Amino acid sequence: MTNVVSQTNVVSRGGGRASVPGDMGVSGGTRVPTAIGVPASARASVGLSIPAGSHIPGNANIPGDSRVSDDSNVPMDSRAPAGSHIPVVSRGGGRASVPASARVSAVAHVPIAARVSAAGAGVRRIAAGGRAYNIAARVLKATVSAAIGLLVAAPILYGLSMSLMRDADIMAFPPKIFPIHATLENYFNVVRTVPIFRFIGNSIVVSVSVCLLQLLTCSMAAYAFVFLKFRGRRTLFVAALATILIPGDATIISNFLTVTRLGMADTFTALIVPFATSATGIFLIRQFYMSVPKELKEAALIDGCGDFHFFVKILLPISAPVLGALAVFAIISTWNQYMWPLLITNTPENRTVQIGISMLQFSDGIVYGLVNAGCMLVLIPSITFFVICRKKMVDSLITGSVKG
Amino acid sequence: MFKKTLKKILSKKAMSAVVSALLTAGSFVGCAGNSASAGDASGAGGGNSAPTQAVAQTAGTTQQNIVFWHSMGGSGGEAIDKMVADFNASQDYITVTAQFQGEYDDAITKLQSLAGTGAAPDIMQLYDIGTRWMIDSGNAVPMQTLIDRDGWDVSVVEPNIAGYYTVDGMLYSMPFNSSTPIMYYNKDWFREAGLDPQAPPTNWDELEAAASALTHGEGGETLFGFTMQIYGWFFEQYISKQSLDYANNGNGRESTATAVEFDSNGGGRALLDRWLNLYNQGILGNLGRDGNACIAAFATGKTGIIFGSTASMATILAGVDGAFEVGTGFLPDLTPGVNGGVSIGGGSLWMMDKGSDESKNAAWEFIKYMVLPEQQFYWHTQTGYFPINIKAYDIPAMNGHLEKNPQFRTAIDQLHASPVSARGALIGVFTEARQTVERNIEMMLDGSQTPEQAIAEMAKSINAAIETYNIANS
């Protein structure tokens, strides 16, 4: 019953009728600190129990035939207590969401969350006028998205175009955007010059192995730092964290000597093991674990869970977003490594894609077509990976951004 | 809640299935891709059975595995792989494995950390300007010792090229990929401007006149008659062209260089004054340090004259693609009548000291093979580097090749016209020195310092680097 600035994003997609998960207290990562009741004078009654800044992912089911502009971000100033601010977003022709001036007609059926009820009549009036605006907005949105998307993808698309050109066309002036004499010659030359598919396969094996190892070691280390009590815990954590400050370039030679003396030079082991854990990863996961209420573990212990069970059965599943973020980070950074694989491997059988690309360059000549063709081949797995994991990646990025 | 967890696990399983499918696909494709190199691999496998404690004195009796590091990507790397495969097939007691180690600087880093261990290579390709460093590092065996022991006729090596790698009367490394700078010009532009396309400028007075005549506007854009890349190598060449030394103590060849000399002998000033003068007249274009940008500008008809490496010729001709006639000429003399010649750039093969005489002999056999006339002819046609073996010119196919690529004749003539004394300086910090030179020329062109200040800055900075290097290596 206090004046809390509470901001709730209710997102409804495709007119779906779904409800905000009941366990949002856990997945949102915060306990509900306040319940905001709205004075009766408001024609909306908001039974709101959402903490400041928390997210309600997914879908508010807002019944009523309220057609409002797509994606409109409508603050429902339902005369809620000072500053309580509930933007309602609807997508895909959603029949939902409500303008404030309409005195909030929709009943946001959000179980523990907001419950907004108001008179429904006003909404229809507003909605009818909004339809034309709705379509225009959607077209505008699509155009802008396409333009931005094209801009972002432009270097890759131009690379693709160059990979299909002869060198003379690449150098031509004015520059050619599209290949006029399209040819696959560059691709054949890449395959002939270097064992590129072998390199791609190697890079996949190495990146995925590094990723899995990091997930394992970082999540377990973070568990110890957060949930286990032992002497020197803080010191150990700070020591681990301090390694982030040492640039990789500074240790590359000593790592190289160590690995060579261990007899691991020119093996996959040498490409994987030095990266089996990462202080950044430990830090990332630790920060997430810190937001998990201690009560969760206590409850689990009372129910007979040991540390291991709690870790595997309860903690890891709710950590999926942060683990996803780490996985993406690990795979991409390993995929892009150049200096370490170059130093530690000698034979083509153990080399990775980035070296393959540099093998295509000839110091005294321009081979843009060849190099671009190589890059396109190397991009295939990365893009496939992105397409498969797109949703997870975006989710995990959002998680990362909120948790910090 | 449990359902949800189950779902998550299921989707994870789906994910891992996808990942493992990808992995499998990758390794399958990998196998397919690998079949190309299967020949080399099985060859290396066969060599592994060689007893390491062989007592044999000559390479002829025991199996030897030789590791050869190189920095040639693209067509150079392909040519090396072919030559190595041919060598391995030509006899059955030495197996050479060629390993690409990135750019020269990357390879040096790797060598520095490996030197003295068994993992070091037997043979290493290194750039010209690493010569002093490699000698000082003590990791290399002078090639001369093997030449002498074998009684190999060193006179087949192009004397101007051998001169560069000869230090204290010994050929330290075997020249392998050598190039010189030449002038490329657009003959069509020369005709249009009323210049004789058969008579390219031979000195900077003529160059200035030509550049002035060739510079013209097109669609509101100035097309420069001459574009000069900011490149430390060109700076060094023009010290040599003036018959002057870059560094003291005879360019560091009589004894270790302790300071640069291009400041006190006026060589650096003469070039920079001229450079800035043409630039200020608006007839010399500046595209920065990127050689490829200059090549692209020339090939697309945006500038009439450039300087470039002979090894870039294939790229230039491919880029021009018959759009105009490409002419080549000697690097014009800075001072009319004074031609100290050009010195070579590129790289050479070094023999690393790994202790065993057998492996040295085996490595020597391979090096001898790589500089055979036929191999050098092949190398030249694939990469555009000079054949370092003068006997390569006796091969009938070489004449046909030169007739088909008359532009290359210029490069060879220029090399032969250069005295053996034109062989560049030896200092241990050349990589850094080049960057210093280039940075200061940039600052001069953008007006933030005069040529005099630029030369003083260069000398100060390079001398400090030489001093530090000499202290560390004495």
Side-chain angles (χ1 to χ4, degrees):
Chain A
M1 295 299 159
T2 45
N3 290 348
V4 173
V5 179
S6 152
Q7 198 161 16
T8 310
N9 290 313
V10 179
V11 181
S12 129
R13 228 175 251 181
R17 51 168 51 233
S19 56
V20 175
D23 58 346
M24 63 133 299
V26 173
S27 70
T30 338
R31 269 285 156 112
V32 176
T34 340
I36 305 166
V38 182
S41 64
R43 281 159 90 191
S45 85
V46 181
L48 200 56
S49 54
I50 297 164
S54 82
H55 249 88
I56 303 180
N59 322 312
N61 177 19
I62 304 175
D65 204 8
S66 48
R67 282 158 213 250
V68 186
S69 68
D70 180 48
D71 229 11
S72 65
N73 214 339
V74 187
M76 299 203 297
D77 179 10
S78 45
R79 298 214 194 132
S84 176
H85 180 192
I86 310 175
V88 177
V89 180
S90 116
R91 217 178 261 180
R95 22 168 83 219
S97 82
V98 189
S101 58
R103 288 281 167 267
V104 184
S105 69
V107 178
H109 180 70
V110 184
I112 310 177
R115 182 162 299 174
V116 183
S117 72
V123 175
R124 285 193 196 102
R125 253 180 277 137
I126 298 284
R131 190 172 285 174
Y133 171 72
N134 190 354
I135 292 169
R138 204 185 295 177
V139 169
L140 187 71
K141 189 185 114 184
T143 316
V144 171
S145 307
I148 294 174
L150 208 62
L151 198 67
V152 170
I156 294 175
L157 294 178
Y158 186 52
L160 176 67
S161 174
M162 278 203 279
S163 73
L164 296 168
M165 289 189 211
R166 299 177 311 136
D167 278 335
D169 291 336
I170 293 174
M171 275 199 267
F173 195 90
K176 293 187 169 60
I177 309 262
F178 301 105
I180 293 169
H181 317 279
T183 166
L184 285 175
E185 199 189 327
N186 288 323
Y187 288 88
F188 291 127
N189 282 338
V190 169
V191 175
R192 195 169 46 80
T193 313
V194 296
I196 193 80
F197 295 114
R198 171 83 195 197
F199 291 160
I200 291 175
N202 289 350
S203 273
I204 291 176
V205 171
V206 171
S207 313
V208 171
S209 309
V210 166
C211 166
L212 294 178
L213 279 171
Q214 283 199 7
L215 288 180
L216 184 74
T217 56
C218 295
S219 62
M220 284 172 44
Y223 185 86
F225 285 133
V226 175
F227 291 101
L228 302 182
K229 299 262 184 291
F230 56 93
R231 273 175 82 85
R233 181 171 73 154
R234 258 191 88 74
T235 320
L236 208 59
F237 175 69
V238 170
L241 207 59
T243 61
I244 295 178
L245 299 177
I246 305 170
D249 298 335
T251 56
I252 197 164
I253 298 296
S254 50
N255 276 348
F256 174 76
L257 295 174
T258 312
V259 168
T260 308
R261 281 181 197 146
L262 288 171
M264 301 197 306
D266 203 15
T267 58
F268 274 11
T269 320
L271 291 175
I272 296 166
V273 171
F275 304 95
T277 191
S278 102
T280 321
I282 295 173
F283 178 68
L284 190 73
I285 298 180
R286 174 187 180 266
Q287 294 313 100
F288 179 82
Y289 286 173
M290 300 276 276
S291 67
V292 174
K294 293 273 179 286
E295 292 82 355
L296 196 62
K297 189 187 174 192
E298 285 159 11
L301 288 181
I302 290 167
D303 286 348
C305 261
D307 275 310
F308 182 73
H309 261 89
F310 170 67
F311 176 65
V312 174
K313 289 265 168 72
I314 296 169
L315 197 56
L316 282 189
I318 64 172
S319 312
V322 72
L323 294 179
L326 178 61
V328 169
F329 181 74
I331 286 191
I332 291 175
S333 61
T334 312
W335 188 270
N336 288 340
Q337 275 180 357
Y338 174 71
M339 203 59 204
W340 178 255
L342 180 70
L343 273 182
I344 203 68
T345 62
N346 287 318
T347 50
E349 286 72 28
N350 291 327
R351 290 199 143 161
T352 52
V353 286
Q354 307 302 339
I355 302 175
I357 297 297
S358 75
M359 285 172 82
L360 295 171
Q361 288 165 338
F362 181 51
S363 50
D364 285 300
I366 303 178
V367 282
Y368 294 145
L370 191 70
V371 171
N372 274 297
C375 290
M376 289 304 125
L377 290 176
V378 166
L379 270 178
I380 293 173
S382 324
I383 290 180
T384 314
F385 171 69
F386 178 75
V387 169
I388 294 172
C389 309
R390 189 176 61 91
K391 197 169 148 18
K392 275 204 166 5
M393 281 167 82
V394 173
D395 285 353
S396 59
L397 287 176
I398 290 169
T399 308
S401 67
V402 174
K403 295 299 161 212
Chain B
M1 177 97 187
F2 279 114
K3 264 188 185 167
K4 220 171 245 171
T5 316
L6 194 67
K7 258 189 196 165
K8 268 183 189 159
I9 290 171
L10 275 181
S11 70
K12 260 183 203 159
K13 272 195 180 150
M15 279 286 294
S16 63
V18 170
V19 169
S20 60
L22 271 176
L23 272 178
T24 325
S27 54
F28 275 3
V29 179
C31 291
N34 192 26
S35 61
S37 57
D40 299 348
S42 64
N48 281 337
S49 58
T52 44
Q53 294 165 330
V55 283
Q57 288 300 306
T58 59
T61 47
T62 54
Q63 269 292 339
Q64 289 293 330
N65 289 314
I66 299 300
V67 174
F68 168 35
W69 283 8
H70 67 86
S71 296
M72 297 272 105
S75 49
E78 269 182 77
I80 283 186
D81 285 344
K82 163 89 165 58
M83 290 159 83
V84 166
D86 288 351
F87 173 75
N88 287 338
S90 73
Q91 42 71 47
D92 51 14
Y93 58 93
I94 304 170
T95 306
V96 175
T97 312
Q99 294 174 347
F100 171 76
Q101 300 294 1
E103 292 171 18
Y104 293 118
D105 290 324
D106 296 342
I108 286 183
T109 309
K110 188 162 174 174
L111 182 77
Q112 275 173 324
S113 13
L114 274 177
T117 72
D122 299 276
I123 301 168
M124 178 164 169
Q125 183 197 26
L126 188 69
Y127 52 13
D128 48 351
I129 58 177
T131 301
R132 182 79 249 169
W133 175 83
M134 187 61 114
I135 293 173
D136 290 338
S137 79
N139 295 323
V141 186
M143 201 60 68
Q144 192 74 44
T145 56
L146 289 129
I147 292 173
D148 291 347
R149 198 190 306 172
D150 198 30
W152 191 70
D153 180 12
V154 77
S155 69
V156 300
V157 180
E158 188 79 61
N160 306 64
I161 299 177
Y164 187 96
Y165 298 103
T166 303
V167 182
D168 302 332
M170 288 201 283
L171 188 64
Y172 259 86
S173 59
M174 185 60 80
F176 182 61
N177 51 314
S178 295
S179 55
T180 56
I182 52 170
M183 177 175 62
Y184 295 91
Y185 65 99
N186 184 329
K187 286 193 176 178
D188 291 16
W189 274 34
F190 268 57
R191 280 189 205 98
E192 285 158 24
L195 301 170
D196 180 2
Q198 302 311 323
T202 58
N203 58 53
W204 274 61
D205 293 342
E206 293 173 24
L207 181 67
E208 186 175 337
S212 177
L214 293 172
T215 301
H216 62 282
E218 188 184 271
E221 181 191 9
T222 305
L223 302 188
F224 292 98
F226 171 45
T227 297
M228 187 151 171
Q229 181 197 350
I230 299 175
Y231 189 12
W233 191 42
F234 294 155
F235 182 86
E236 292 151 31
Q237 294 294 346
Y238 269 103
I239 307 296
S240 167
K241 285 284 277 186
Q242 299 175 69
S243 292
L244 296 172
D245 282 348
Y246 183 93
N248 65 6
N249 295 333
N251 256 343
R253 287 176 181 274
E254 287 152 19
S255 62
T256 308
T258 56
V260 295
E261 220 171 79
F262 62 73
D263 55 337
S264 51
N265 65 24
R269 234 346 251 292
L271 174 69
L272 293 201
D273 282 344
R274 208 66 201 262
W275 192 332
L276 186 63
N277 179 276
L278 263 61
Y279 179 72
N280 286 340
Q281 285 182 46
I283 57 175
L284 182 151
N286 173 24
L287 290 174
R289 303 189 194 189
D290 185 3
N292 287 345
C294 295
I295 290 176
F298 177 75
T300 54
K302 295 272 137 191
T303 190
I305 303 172
I306 58 165
F307 296 160
S309 165
T310 48
S312 302
M313 193 176 294
T315 300
I316 291 175
L317 293 177
V320 171
D321 199 25
F324 57 84
E325 201 182 337
V326 179
T328 51
F330 286 16
L331 218 54
D333 304 338
L334 192 67
T335 323
V338 179
N339 184 8
V342 292
S343 70
I344 54 116
S348 60
L349 304 180
W350 288 82
M351 181 156 328
M352 297 290 110
D353 193 353
K354 288 177 79 180
S356 136
D357 262 0
E358 294 87 62
S359 67
K360 272 181 219 159
N361 285 334
W364 170 239
E365 289 301 315
F366 172 66
I367 289 173
K368 276 198 296 186
Y369 178 86
M370 292 296 266
V371 298
L372 284 177
E374 298 76 23
Q375 295 303 318
Q376 282 295 310
F377 170 67
Y378 175 77
W379 177 241
H380 163 67
T381 56
Q382 295 301 301
T383 60
Y385 289 117
F386 286 110
I388 68 109
N389 189 323
I390 50 175
K391 294 260 169 66
Y393 296 107
D394 299 340
I395 296 174
M398 186 72 188
N399 277 322
H401 174 73
L402 287 178
E403 267 163 38
K404 246 170 61 190
N405 303 284
Q407 290 93 348
F408 208 84
R409 177 71 72 181
T410 314
I412 294 165
D413 291 346
Q414 179 180 243
L415 182 71
H416 290 163
S418 295
V420 180
S421 59
R423 50 184 192 172
L426 288 181
I427 56 174
V429 292
F430 239 128
T431 315
E432 192 184 337
R434 276 193 182 167
Q435 284 167 7
T436 305
V437 166
E438 289 163 9
R439 189 177 62 243
N440 282 291
I441 293 178
E442 265 171 359
M443 288 170 68
M444 175 192 80
L445 292 180
D446 71 24
S448 52
Q449 60 185 9
T450 64
E452 193 181 357
Q453 287 167 330
I455 294 292
E457 269 306 307
M458 288 177 194
K460 198 177 115 196
S461 167
I462 298 171
N463 286 343
I466 292 176
E467 200 186 332
T468 314
Y469 176 88
N470 285 346
I471 291 170
N473 286 279
S474 61

